[in-house]
Structures are given as C-alpha cells and as structure tokens.
Amino acid sequence: MFDSIKKKFSAEGDETVSSTAKPDISREKSAELYEKAKTYFPGGVNSPVRAFKSVYGTPLFIEKGDGCQLWDADGNQFIDFCCSWGPLILGHNHPKVREQVIEVMKNGMSFGAPTALENELAELILKHNKYIQKLRFVSSGTEAVMSAIRLARGYTKRDKILKFEGCYHGHSDSLLVKAGSGLVTFGETSSAGVPKAFADETIVVALNDKAAIKTAFEDFKRQIAAIIIEPVPANNGLLLQEREYLQFLRDICTENGTLLIFDEVISGFRLGFEGAAGYYQIKPDILTYGKIIGGGLPVGCYGSSVEIMAQVSPDGGVYQGGTLSGNPVAMAAGIAQLTELLRSNFYRDLNNKTAEFVEAIQRFATARNYKFKIFSIGSVFWFAFTDKEAIRRADEIDPAGMEKFKKLHRELLNRGVYLGPSGYEVGFISSAHTKIDLEKAKRAIFDSLEVVFNGK
Ligand SMILES: *Cc1c(COP(=O)(O)O)cnc(C)c1O
C-alpha cells in the first residue's frame, strides 16, 4: 500500500518526507525585543494571542511583510497563513492599497468631518451587497458588534441577547460571556471585570442545537432582542454550521420579533463579496464587518435596513460615534482593497487555490492514517487533530489535539511557514499566495506532520 501512496505523492513533487525534527530558528532579536516589550505591555503584547502562550518559544517580532511572505527581526522568512488574522486577503503591502493610502495621506490624516472617501467606500459596499441598505463605519470589529447589539436592543426595546458558545464577537462586556452548565444558561463572565448583571442579559447556548434555541425562546418570551452568531464560526476552530441550521435561526427570530445578527467580521468579504449571508443566501437583520473591510487599517462597520438604521443617532435614539470613524486613510485602504475583490473571478480563483491546497494535505494525512483533518470554507482553513467527519460545536473539539498543534507549529516555523500561534485559530490564504508558495508550504506541512505523528 505504501508504494502506491508514494507514487501518488511523487506525482505532486513530494518524494522526500523526513520525519526528523528541524533545529529551532534563531530568535535572538525577537527574544530581546520581547523582554523589553514585557516591561511596557501586559504579557509583552497589545493583544493576548500574540504572546505565543499556546506554542513553543517567544513571539516573533515582525519586521516586514510583502505578498504572502513575512520577515522577522532575526531575518527569518516565512510563508504567512495568519495574514494579520484575516484582513490581508490581498497579502502584505499590496501595491494598490499602499499607493492609495500614500496618496490620500498627502492631504492629511483625519478631519473629524465628512469626506467623499466615506461615500466612496459605502457606495462600493452597498452597490454589491444586497443584505444591507445603510451602514455606519467604526474603527474595529469589537466596536461594530457592540454597536450592533445596542442597535438591536434599541430597536426591539428588549434587553437580552443570545450568543453561542464557540463564537467570538470582540471584547465588549455583554459578549465576554461563556456558557454555564445546562442546555440554556445565563452566561458566566469569561473575563474579570465584567459585571454579573451584564452577563445576566446574555443567554449562551451551544451551536447546532435547535432544542436549546427553542427552550431559550420559551424561557425568555419576548425578551430576546437579538441572536448573534458568526455564520461561519472561525474563532474557536472552524465550526462550520449547516445552512439548514442558519435558516432555522432566521425563521425562529422572525417568529419571535427577535433580530438576527450575523457577525461577519471574519467571513465578510472573505467567502465572497457578500460574505456568509451571500454564501448561504440568508438575510440577517443586522450585519457586522471588520478585518478585510479596512485593507489592513482599523475599520469596522455595521449595517442593516433603512428602517433599522434610522434608530442610530443623530436620526434616532441609539447613540454611537467615533473620533476617527471613517477617517480618510483607512477609507482609502478599504476602497483600494475592496476594488480588487470585485475583479471578475477573484473569489473563484482564491477559493479554488485553497481547495486544492487543502485537499492535497488531507490526502496526505488520510493515506497515512493520521488523526488529522482540515476543515475549510472559501479561503479559510483549520487544522484539527481529530478523526471526526465534522465538528460543529465547541465541546466537540478534543483539547488533547492542541499538544499536537503545538509541535506542528514549531516544526512549521522551522520550515518557513507561519501559522497563528494557537490551535484554535484558523488560517487564511490570500491572493498573493502563488501556486509555488503553496507547493512549498505543502511540503513543509507534510514533513511537519510526519514529525508530529512519527518523529523523533
Ligand atoms: C476579530 C473579530 C471580532 C473583533 O474585531 P476586532 O477588530 O479585533 O475588535 C469580532 N467578531 C469576529 C467574528 C471576529 O473575528
């Protein structure tokens, strides 16, 4: 059997698979910078996952990115699959984005007054997205979601929101809440500093569980302002939902006068220009975007129907504002990036490239009976150490797999491939990843898997 497998893969240019761990890359400069950083920032970082707590070694300090490549302070070079956690769908330092940003910056950075660029980005989005009629720009995904929740509460005049265990919606108080024990629970705060009273307004249920949703609507009749979900949950592994389940949420929300919020901060402009709503053809009431929308600069947005958006100040009573909201530099980056995404076949090519990459790795692992599965959708993928055919709920993830991920991460860094430093994070492929880059990455992944499963 082994011979036939070998033949199959040699056809793809993979004859040499070594199962020996590689020596660690040099991290002298990164380690030095990290020591300094620890004196300035909690944990040495400005966002927790960057601290490499779930993988080996100190965080790499990045000096430069270009296309799909990253360079760290020690001069190590990597093919990057983190892509700044999703925003860089065109890769690093895309010339069109860079040039527009530089051009706009020549006229100043921020005015705290309207500019034509805001209209331009809004028009670009609204013209090609049938799921929203009006929007508001903010400066992060967290802000977008926080504002969407306030809007839902203001519009429905109800207080409770329902979220899912295994979805992440940024770090605002009402959403830093996790499930307690039981089918339908009041949330328990998942961060110190979140008042219990806030958590009491958030109901938390497991994904892919219709009974729990029905119970929640019975227990909290006419109290639930909104259900919020990542239609493609991609912050706790990739917990792909079935369309039918999302449709069920749509229908039960409509029946109960509850708004459905799709948090598309990752999936928006990623699965296609219309994100997951377009992919599944399900119309939520409010949508939130972030990451890709800003072309690498801080932009978020929430949008809805004309009627619902009329509740937002200054038209309506739901207050929300921002000093740097819609600032021209960030708008310029967004315009440049989204314009590229609208080119014909952009998503078809990107998604096909990803599918080929993912299928080749899966074939490799399956042929060797590794307990390893890649889940993917569009240009998002997740490496899971499991033999399950599908993982749709957070509690179906085997935490033991994370030890294997830790090894894989190290072997990949040592072979020039950069993944986000946690086994719960997904990877992204950009239009800058060429077939040759993906071929190289694939070989590094084959070798690394060999080490993880059989290595010394
Ligand atoms: C990243 C993310 C957020 C938070 O966005 P920030 O820009 O980090 O504040 C919210 N929701 C989802 C689904 C995300 O992936």
Side-chain angles (χ1 to χ4, degrees):
M1 185 179 158
F2 186 66
D3 267 347
S4 68
I5 292 161
K6 207 164 175 182
K7 242 180 249 143
K8 189 167 164 195
F9 285 96
S10 58
E12 295 184 51
D14 167 58
E15 295 114 84
T16 50
V17 178
S18 79
S19 58
T20 316
K22 280 246 184 181
D24 282 333
I25 49 167
S26 140
R27 298 195 201 190
E28 246 168 78
K29 294 241 169 64
S30 280
E32 215 174 279
L33 287 164
Y34 187 48
E35 284 311 306
K36 265 259 163 78
K38 281 197 276 191
T39 70
Y40 303 137
F41 315 115
V45 289
N46 287 299
S47 195
V49 71
R50 297 180 195 170
F52 268 49
K53 291 286 184 204
S54 317
V55 293
Y56 291 106
T58 53
L60 303 179
F61 278 61
I62 304 304
E63 211 160 81
K64 189 173 98 171
D66 198 63
C68 73
Q69 310 282 340
L70 273 184
W71 287 264
D72 71 8
D74 291 281
N76 300 305
Q77 184 180 344
F78 306 94
I79 299 172
D80 178 23
F81 290 102
C82 178
C83 296
S84 191
W85 302 102
L88 305 181
I89 193 168
L90 304 177
H92 296 271
N93 200 14
H94 191 277
K96 288 264 170 60
V97 178
R98 182 181 64 234
E99 279 157 23
Q100 268 213 55
V101 164
I102 291 172
E103 217 30 59
V104 164
M105 275 170 99
K106 289 180 184 162
N107 292 326
M109 313 271 187
S110 174
F111 311 113
T115 65
L117 291 162
E118 291 154 81
N119 286 1
E120 208 181 306
L121 183 55
E123 204 174 297
L124 199 59
I125 296 167
L126 294 174
K127 212 169 135 189
H128 299 97
N129 183 331
K130 61 180 166 297
Y131 298 95
I132 50 175
Q133 296 175 321
K134 254 190 182 183
L135 55 81
R136 174 61 68 74
F137 289 120
V138 294
S139 298
S140 71
T142 295
E143 237 187 298
V145 173
M146 184 181 79
S147 311
I149 295 284
R150 185 178 302 140
L151 174 58
R153 285 174 163 154
Y155 179 79
T156 59
K157 304 191 170 56
R158 299 176 181 180
D159 287 343
K160 298 225 181 307
I161 55 171
L162 185 149
K163 78 174 282 280
F164 296 90
E165 185 73 6
C167 286
Y168 175 72
H169 303 292
H171 62 87
S172 67
D173 283 340
S174 344
L175 294 161
L176 283 182
V177 169
K178 61 174 192 273
S181 52
L183 185 63
V184 176
T185 61
F186 283 123
E188 288 173 16
T189 65
S190 59
S191 162
V194 175
K196 186 178 171 301
F198 286 35
D200 285 349
E201 299 303 329
T202 305
I203 303 156
V204 186
V205 303
L207 284 159
N208 192 35
D209 183 347
K210 290 184 187 170
I213 299 286
K214 286 182 190 154
T215 308
F217 276 110
E218 280 158 22
D219 289 359
F220 304 102
K221 259 198 184 12
R222 282 181 287 279
Q223 292 177 59
I224 304 174
I227 289 185
I228 182 164
I229 187 169
E230 287 179 78
V232 174
N235 278 287
N236 190 86
L238 183 63
L239 305 174
L240 295 174
Q241 301 299 296
E242 287 162 302
R243 183 191 183 280
E244 191 252 335
Y245 177 70
L246 297 173
Q247 184 65 51
F248 161 81
L249 296 180
R250 172 63 284 176
D251 296 340
I252 203 163
C253 280
T254 306
E255 282 158 28
N256 287 277
T258 294
L259 300 185
L260 178 63
I261 304 174
F262 274 6
D263 179 358
E264 297 228 37
V265 172
I266 281 192
S267 54
F269 309 99
R270 171 61 67 179
L271 295 197
F273 199 84
E274 290 183 312
Y279 183 91
Y280 292 114
Q281 305 207 2
I282 292 178
K283 189 178 183 302
D285 298 295
I286 305 179
L287 281 133
T288 60
Y289 299 105
K291 299 195 168 102
I292 290 175
I293 199 175
L297 289 182
V299 182
C301 118
Y302 62 102
S304 184
S305 63
V306 167
E307 185 207 342
I308 293 177
M309 290 306 280
Q311 302 296 314
V312 178
S313 60
D315 284 350
V318 175
Y319 186 75
Q320 183 270 310
T323 302
L324 294 172
S325 291
N327 81 83
V329 182
M331 294 293 105
I335 293 164
Q337 176 145 287
L338 298 199
T339 301
E340 292 303 302
L341 305 187
L342 286 167
R343 287 181 189 280
S344 58
N345 297 331
F346 177 88
Y347 287 104
R348 193 202 61 186
D349 294 348
L350 180 61
N351 296 350
N352 284 346
K353 197 161 69 176
T354 306
E356 269 174 42
F357 176 72
V358 162
E359 281 159 21
I361 298 166
Q362 189 63 66
R363 272 200 307 273
F364 177 87
T366 306
R368 284 161 178 74
N369 285 320
Y370 293 159
K371 197 176 156 186
F372 178 82
K373 192 107 185 119
I374 312 188
F375 296 104
S376 85
I377 186 168
S379 47
V380 185
F381 66 87
W382 177 49
F383 291 164
F385 292 88
T386 181
D387 40 25
K388 294 193 175 92
E389 276 310 306
I391 299 187
R392 305 199 193 281
R393 295 166 50 131
D395 58 7
E396 290 168 357
I397 301 175
D398 179 7
M402 296 304 151
E403 269 313 300
K404 285 217 160 54
F405 177 83
K406 202 171 161 177
K407 284 191 190 137
L408 179 70
H409 188 266
R410 173 192 218 157
E411 290 303 322
L412 284 176
L413 281 185
N414 294 340
R415 288 172 174 80
V417 171
Y418 187 91
L419 286 186
S422 158
Y424 290 96
E425 302 290 351
V426 295
F428 298 97
I429 292 183
S430 76
S431 59
H433 288 82
T434 65
K435 292 230 156 148
I436 297 169
D437 298 317
L438 292 175
E439 199 55 48
K440 273 195 217 158
K442 227 156 57 184
R443 251 174 266 155
I445 292 165
F446 292 169
D447 286 354
S448 300
L449 284 173
E450 286 274 300
V451 174
V452 170
F453 285 98
N454 316 313
K456 311 164 212 56

